[in-house]
Amino acid sequence: MSFSGEVKEELSRQLPKSRHCQIAEIAAILSFAGKLEEFQEGKQLSVYTENIFLARKYFMLIREAFHANMNIAVRQNVYLHKSRMFVISLKDIAEIRKVLQAVKWQNEQGEDIRSPGVANGLLVQKSCCRRAFIRGAFLSAGSMSNPEKSYHFELVCAAEGRANQLQEIINSFQMDAKIVKRKKSYVVYLKEGEQIVDMLNIMEAHVALMNLENVRILKEMRNSVNRQVNCETANINKTVNAAVKQVEDINYIKSVRGLDSLPDNLKEIALLRLKYPQAALKELGTFLDPPVGKSGVNHRLRKICEMAEELKQAKKR
């Protein structure tokens, strides 16, 4: 199962204790996956989904909040090789009316009061209800990438108004959700690992949160080790390149003027560098009598390099 599927499986087993939170989550599911259909024999309020976790959650919510009797059907198109479709339906007019009034799709007179693509703001006034609404939206239209590969959380909305409202609800928790248009849809997304952890906490997917945190810790450890190795490798390369250049300069002076032309302190360090070409500056300093520190050794070798450069320039004139 994908990480996104694991999150949905966990969320599908959570049932809000407060009825107003149950209704907020039902409103989100209906907003993304619900249809109010009219047939010759009457009306039907249905949720269509290929996700068994959403089907399970919607069934539990309706039964708990309204004690309603639902029909559950499973459809599968064998010829198109599509996955099975779950259809959870309410057909009793009185029960449909209760649900529609609760989620603010209808008023008491049975008139349609829905705003196109936007849930009624009265349903998400409380923080707990906003959490429930986000849960329902994620179960219906959300996905997450595998945190081993990347950090990405998104909710796909059919209408811009719905995306704007969802962004506002998410950002009410001090998040920084963005919206991007993708073909005919509007996608509300988060890409920062820390914010996705916060989003799992908001939706109360605590097991998934701990799993994601474990992945983040391991990735950070790997990145830290890689940075340290890269840094040490760069330092080693720098030291080796410097030592090679020093040996070249010393040999150049030796071939042009001879090392006896150098002052005693420079001649001494030059001979040591030729004898120990791979030694670090600090180690070279311990071979001197009296010993000299790293900066002192570096100063002497730099003077030798400057002298070699002067000889090369003089030869060009």
Side-chain angles (χ1 to χ4, degrees):
M1 186 186 298
S2 67
F3 184 77
S4 187
E6 291 175 3
V7 176
K8 291 185 177 183
E9 195 276 337
E10 182 179 355
L11 294 178
S12 72
R13 298 183 183 279
Q14 295 181 7
L15 191 63
K17 295 180 180 179
S18 301
R19 188 171 186 272
H20 50 80
C21 292
Q22 295 168 5
I23 291 173
E25 195 161 351
I26 291 170
I29 294 171
L30 288 175
S31 179
F32 283 92
K35 288 184 180 181
L36 180 59
E37 302 167 303
E38 293 194 21
F39 304 96
Q40 288 184 348
E41 57 271 21
K43 292 183 178 181
Q44 178 175 299
L45 180 63
S46 303
V47 162
Y48 293 82
T49 179
E50 295 179 358
N51 191 323
I52 189 172
F53 304 129
L54 174 59
R56 175 200 295 163
K57 186 62 177 288
Y58 180 69
F59 180 89
M60 291 169 57
L61 287 167
I62 292 292
R63 185 178 60 184
E64 183 69 20
F66 299 99
H67 307 289
N69 295 314
M70 287 167 287
N71 295 319
I72 301 176
V74 181
R75 301 176 183 175
Q76 189 162 15
N77 192 321
V78 178
Y79 299 102
L80 297 179
H81 302 288
K82 289 186 177 180
S83 58
R84 58 188 177 181
M85 175 73 71
F86 299 94
V87 185
I88 306 96
S89 305
L90 275 176
K91 296 186 177 182
D92 183 86
I93 296 299
E95 292 177 342
I96 291 174
R97 187 181 298 115
K98 285 181 183 178
V99 175
L100 294 181
Q101 289 179 4
V103 300
K104 309 300 181 187
W105 279 24
Q106 284 186 359
N107 58 21
E108 293 182 359
Q109 289 73 41
E111 298 169 335
D112 193 329
I113 57 172
R114 281 179 291 175
S115 299
V118 182
N120 193 296
L122 294 174
L123 300 173
V124 288
Q125 288 184 322
K126 294 184 177 182
S127 174
C128 56
C129 292
R130 291 196 295 273
R131 291 174 183 269
F133 189 88
I134 295 171
R135 258 198 315 271
F138 181 76
L139 277 167
S140 305
S143 64
M144 292 181 65
S145 62
N146 183 347
E148 291 277 3
K149 299 178 181 178
S150 64
Y151 298 122
H152 186 80
F153 171 98
E154 71 175 36
L155 296 154
V156 181
C157 305
E160 185 176 8
R162 185 181 300 168
N164 289 332
Q165 184 192 43
L166 197 51
Q167 180 191 38
E168 182 180 343
I169 292 172
I170 290 173
N171 288 347
S172 70
F173 292 96
Q174 286 74 54
M175 307 294 281
D176 188 27
K178 308 289 187 183
I179 297 177
V180 64
K181 189 173 182 181
R182 185 187 297 161
K183 296 183 179 179
K184 295 182 179 181
S185 301
Y186 295 85
V187 180
V188 183
Y189 69 92
L190 296 166
K191 293 189 75 70
E192 294 291 333
E194 187 173 344
Q195 291 210 353
I196 294 174
V197 168
D198 291 340
M199 179 56 64
L200 290 173
N201 187 47
I202 289 167
M203 295 191 299
E204 300 180 53
H206 301 303
V207 174
L209 185 154
M210 293 303 298
N211 291 337
L212 177 55
E213 282 287 47
N214 288 337
V215 171
R216 288 184 70 212
I217 291 169
L218 289 173
K219 287 178 71 174
E220 183 55 36
M221 287 177 63
R222 284 197 294 266
N223 291 339
S224 178
V225 170
N226 288 337
R227 284 193 298 268
Q228 188 172 352
V229 169
N230 291 339
C231 183
E232 290 178 356
T233 301
N235 288 336
I236 291 171
N237 290 337
K238 184 178 178 181
T239 300
V240 170
N241 291 337
V244 169
K245 176 71 165 53
Q246 292 159 6
V247 170
E248 289 175 352
D249 289 339
I250 292 168
N251 284 326
Y252 183 78
I253 293 174
K254 182 178 181 181
S255 64
V256 175
R257 294 176 55 182
L259 295 183
D260 289 336
S261 65
L262 296 173
D264 290 342
N265 63 336
L266 299 187
K267 178 182 177 181
E268 186 180 16
I269 197 67
L271 291 172
L272 281 173
R273 173 49 86 196
L274 292 177
K275 186 176 181 180
Y276 304 105
Q278 297 180 345
L281 298 182
K282 187 175 181 180
E283 185 182 2
L284 279 179
T286 62
F287 298 142
L288 294 171
D289 186 21
V292 176
K294 178 179 177 181
S295 61
V297 173
N298 185 52
H299 175 74
R300 295 184 187 187
L301 288 171
R302 191 167 65 248
K303 290 289 292 183
I304 291 174
C305 291
E306 290 172 358
M307 293 175 67
E309 190 62 31
E310 290 173 1
L311 290 174
K312 292 175 184 176
Q313 292 299 324
K315 188 176 181 180
K316 291 180 181 178
R317 297 192 190 107

